[in-house]
């Protein structure tokens, strides 16, 4: 079914909305699904009236979601499944709901995609699948086995990525284990928002940046447009590109940045002095995280193009 129709779950989310925009630019027909649990209608503003965009306010936990959509639009060729409970602390408070939304719904969508004859299923995995694994850089094969997940979120994402990437029948499944994604439209308003959106907002408001712990913890930050490019390659949307094998792939910059370095970079870019306040370490925080990106480089010739400094400039311009 190569009709160029894609379903994007989580279309009103931070990454989902950027993905929809790009798919429309590539000429696809895009069916967006979101229940606004954490997504925002505003995120879809610049494309919601596009003639090839169709939006449905529905939940991925609804049975027959894809077959219902197929009645109106025909069977889609690609499913991008990004909808999820995105807050790690919320998942700790609601483990059963997290399992239903972040794992069981994935398995059901995968089965529906198979029944509809979809050719690809691309899933939003997470660095949280590695739990407390400290063998850096993190390689795809590490997660599982001895892994102790630090949250129901990490566990559900792991199970989903496995189900998608190891599915040897039905659509070709690719799970993208994304590290710390940042960029415009990332919601800065919650205390659990990504550190970059928080720091950017605080800097623009003239408030001191809040570092939890000593600031020497490191993360692998990857700009949203680079992540979107990985989704498109994983989906095989460019027919001239070599076919991407099913499986699980890290998506990150492959470099580590400490939270302190990040704070200084943002303070420099916003021409603020050293305005940092230190708070106790956040419970459950991992110390270091960085992706090995050899596998995605080999399979999709993907590499990040936007440097942290350039990505921060773009994010700050949007604020
Ligand atoms: C990321 C993901 C999360 C999950 C997790 C798995 C984001 C937004 N979250 O959490 O969904 O996949 O990885 O490991 O991508 N920090 C401060 N000050 C602040 C906010 C944060 O110092 O105001 C610190 C925080 O304590 C942590 C680091 O910055 O050490 C990154 O925090 P985060 O919430 O952006 O992302 P992370 O890696 O905890």
């Amino acid at each position: 079914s190569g009709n160029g129709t894609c379903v994007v779950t989580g279309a009103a989310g931070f990454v989902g909305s950027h993905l929809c925009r790009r798919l429309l630019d590539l000429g696809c027909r895009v069916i967006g699904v979101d229940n606004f649990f954490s997504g925002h209608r505003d995120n879809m503003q610049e494309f919601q009236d596009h003639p090839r965009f169709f939006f449905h306010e529905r939940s991925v936990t609804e049975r027959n979601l894809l077959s219902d959509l197929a009645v109106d639009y025909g069977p889609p060729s690609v499913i991008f499944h990004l909808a999820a409970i995105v807050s790690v602390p919320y998942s700790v408070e609601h483990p059963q709901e997290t399992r239903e939304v972040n794992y069981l719904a994935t398995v059901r969508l995968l089965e529906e995609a198979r029944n509809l004859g979809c050719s690809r299923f691309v899933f939003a995995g997470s660095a949280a699948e590695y739990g407390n694994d400290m063998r850096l850089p993190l390689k795809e094969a590490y997660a599982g086995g001895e892994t102790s997940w630090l949250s129901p979120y990490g566990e559900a994402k792991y199970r989903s990525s496995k189900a998608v990437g190891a599915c040897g029948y039905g659509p070709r499944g690719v799970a993208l284990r994304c590290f710390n994604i940042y960029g415009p439209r990332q919601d800065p308003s919650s205390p659990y928002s990504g550190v970059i959106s928080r720091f950017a907002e605080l800097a623009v408001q003239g408030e001191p940046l809040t570092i939890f712990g000593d600031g020497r913890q490191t993360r692998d930050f990857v700009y949203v447009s680079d992540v979107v490019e990985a989704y498109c390659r994983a989906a095989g949307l460019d027919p001239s590109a070599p076919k991407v094998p099913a499986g699980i792939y890290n998506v990150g910059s492959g470099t580590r940045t400490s939270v302190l370095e990040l704070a200084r970079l943002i303070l420099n870019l916003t021409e603020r002095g050293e305005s940092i306040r230190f708070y106790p370490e956040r419970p459950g925080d991992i110390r270091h995280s960085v992706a090995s990106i050899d596998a995605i480089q080999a399979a999709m010739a993907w590499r990040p193009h936007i440097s942290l400094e350039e990505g921060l400039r773009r994010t700050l311009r949007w604020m």
Side-chain angles (χ1 to χ4, degrees), residues 86-88 125-129 131 150-151 153 178-182 186 191-199 202 209-213 215 217-219 221 259 262 280-282 284-287 289:
V86 295
S87 163
V88 173
S126 165
E129 295 174 38
L150 301 171
S151 64
Y153 174 87
C178 299
F179 281 63
N180 291 65
I181 312 172
Y182 71 100
Q186 189 169 33
Y192 305 116
S193 299
V195 62
I196 290 183
S197 61
R198 294 249 307 160
F199 281 4
L202 291 169
L209 308 195
T210 57
I211 290 186
F212 305 143
Q217 68 267 45
T218 57
R219 292 293 184 274
F221 297 105
V259 169
L262 175 70
E281 195 178 315
R282 208 168 58 174
D285 246 19
I286 54 168
R287 189 71 182 155
S289 164

Side-chain angles (χ1 to χ4, degrees), residues 41-59:
R41 202 176 278 280
D42 287 353
N43 286 342
M44 302 188 291
Q45 204 163 15
E46 52 173 277
F47 58 82
Q48 64 189 0
D49 297 325
H50 193 289
R52 275 184 278 103
F53 183 69
F54 305 90
F55 181 74
H56 292 263
E57 184 174 344
R58 294 187 60 170
S59 164

Side-chain angles (χ1 to χ4, degrees), residues 79 81 102-103 106-107 109-111 119-126 129 140-141 156-177 234 244-250 299-300:
I79 312 298
H81 178 35
N102 290 11
Y103 173 56
T106 307
V107 178
L109 289 171
L110 198 53
E111 185 178 323
S119 63
R120 305 263 180 158
F121 192 102
V122 186
F123 173 70
S126 165
E129 295 174 38
E140 287 81 353
K157 284 286 182 183
Y158 171 78
R159 293 189 195 287
S160 281
S161 284
K162 276 304 221 196
V164 170
C167 188
Y169 51 90
R172 187 188 299 249
V174 175
L176 298 176
R177 276 192 190 139
V244 173
I248 301 175
Y249 301 94
N250 287 339
M300 308 182 205

Side-chain angles (χ1 to χ4, degrees), residues 20-41:
C20 288
R21 170 79 266 176
R22 175 82 67 92
L23 293 171
L24 290 166
D25 291 344
L26 290 172
C28 301
R29 193 158 65 128
V30 180
I31 306 167
V33 173
D34 206 295
N35 69 349
F36 299 121
F37 183 80
S38 57
H40 301 287
R41 202 176 278 280

Side-chain angles (χ1 to χ4, degrees), residues 91-111:
S91 83
V92 174
E93 298 301 317
H94 303 89
Q96 183 59 27
E97 186 187 353
T98 301
R99 184 179 161 79
E100 276 160 19
V101 177
N102 290 11
Y103 173 56
L104 297 175
T106 307
V107 178
R108 210 165 38 234
L109 289 171
L110 198 53
E111 185 178 323

Side-chain angles (χ1 to χ4, degrees), residues 5-6 32 40 62 69 91 116-117 121 165 199-200 223-224 244 253 261 273 278 311 318:
T5 300
C6 304
H40 301 287
E62 290 175 39
L69 296 172
S91 83
L116 290 169
F121 192 102
F199 281 4
Y223 190 68
V224 64
V244 173
S253 67
E261 282 172 73
F278 289 89
W318 167 80

